[in-house]
Amino acid sequence: MKAGSFKRKTVAVIGGGMTGCETAEFIASKGGRVYLIEMLPDVATGAGFVDKMDMVQRLADAKVNILTAIA
């Protein structure tokens, strides 16, 4: 596997804070199928409103699968 390539890989990112969101977006941009798993009812809860809405849109554009309220 080429360094930095996630093609044909499925990856679970645990934690939907901004770091987890950015990690999920990065992996998806490298071709991975990503599941972002968060125990709270929403992702990017620590971000301001505009940053959060931007991140949620970027995750949707990257086709990241978001699973929330997972305990």
Side-chain angles (χ1 to χ4, degrees):
M1 180 169 92
K2 182 179 168 186
S5 174
F6 290 93
K7 287 184 172 64
R8 297 186 304 269
K9 302 289 182 190
T10 301
V11 179
V13 176
I14 311 300
M18 286 302 287
T19 301
C21 289
E22 290 173 351
T23 301
E25 180 187 23
F26 173 78
I27 293 169
S29 76
K30 299 298 182 185
R33 181 175 184 187
V34 182
Y35 289 88
L36 178 60
I37 303 170
E38 172 58 49
M39 68 181 212
L40 296 175
D42 206 359
V43 295
T45 56
F49 179 76
V50 173
D51 291 333
K52 178 179 179 169
M53 292 298 103
D54 177 59
M55 177 53 69
V56 169
Q57 184 60 54
R58 288 173 20 209
L59 292 171
D61 292 345
K63 297 180 174 54
V64 172
N65 301 288
I66 300 172
L67 307 171
T68 58
I70 305 295

